[in-house]
Amino acid sequence: MNIPKVSAQDTTLTVNNVAGGKTTFPVPSGMGIDINVPGLHYNPRYWKEPHKFMPERFLGDWPKDAFIPFSQGARACLGRRFFETEGIAIMTMLVSRYKIEVKEEPEFAGETFEERYARITTFDQGLTTIPVRVPLVFKRR
Ligand code: HEM
């Protein structure tokens, strides 16, 4: 998901370039800027094996400025702390009470782990990110 912004004043933006140096762009007042969140979250400059599911990457020291699902700055998400508490409580309750598995379907028999991962994580981009089809089976523990 991109986060759209509009520049409130004439300014400049300095970014790293592929040659290893810096490039500075003029940003006039009123110009639209999209912050490419997935581009940052999958950037190997900041994340080791960015496509690998590795929740332990968030233990210890990790690049806080390269993780912005709730945006950054004065207009960042007001609900972040609420979600981080409530969302984790809900996930913990679900996972402790149910074993959650991807439904086995004959038409997908024989697919590789990567194919399955790509199939169930396909999403549509609306105002929020929308899962396309996530066939999960919840089994009571
Ligand atoms: C996974 C959960 C959530 C994510 C990933 C998320 C993400 C975001 C993002 C990216 C923004 C835009 C910030 C910007 O434009 O720079 C935002 C704004 C906002 N979010 Fe969330 N949010 C989440 C949950 C919540 C919840 C649970 C609440 C309220 C209880 C909430 C309230 C708000 C509000 C009020 C703003 C506007 C802040 C402002 O414009 O000053 N969010 N959120």
Side-chain angles (χ1 to χ4, degrees):
M1 187 186 106
N2 289 345
I3 301 176
K5 299 282 177 187
V6 176
S7 180
Q9 60 188 57
D10 292 338
T11 185
T12 57
L13 201 57
T14 300
V15 297
N16 295 321
N17 61 36
V18 284
K22 304 266 182 206
T23 305
T24 297
F25 296 100
V27 178
S29 173
M31 188 173 124
I33 300 172
D34 261 5
I35 304 174
N36 182 343
V37 179
L40 183 60
H41 290 178
Y42 288 103
N43 190 331
R45 181 183 291 155
Y46 307 109
W47 303 101
K48 198 176 127 213
E49 299 187 75
H51 287 273
K52 199 166 166 193
F53 179 64
M54 248 167 39
E56 65 273 21
R57 68 171 82 244
F58 294 103
L59 296 173
D61 209 17
W62 52 276
K64 306 267 185 312
D65 288 341
F67 186 67
I68 56 164
F70 300 93
S71 191
Q72 291 276 39
R75 302 306 298 263
C77 179
L78 270 184
R80 178 173 189 162
R81 287 299 165 97
F82 175 78
F83 169 77
E84 284 176 346
T85 308
E86 191 84 351
I88 289 168
I90 292 168
M91 286 294 287
T92 308
M93 283 173 68
L94 276 175
V95 170
S96 67
R97 290 175 194 186
Y98 296 91
K99 192 166 186 324
I100 305 167
E101 292 170 350
V102 177
K103 187 177 178 195
E104 292 299 337
E105 294 168 290
E107 64 266 44
F108 301 117
E111 70 185 344
T112 63
F113 176 86
E114 286 72 22
E115 287 164 345
R116 170 171 289 204
Y117 180 84
R119 173 165 62 86
I120 66 172
T121 57
T122 302
F123 61 87
D124 276 341
Q125 192 63 72
L127 183 58
T128 58
T129 299
I130 307 152
V132 172
R133 181 171 178 272
V134 188
L136 296 180
V137 178
F138 287 66
K139 289 186 188 151
R140 190 106 201 161
R141 287 182 188 274

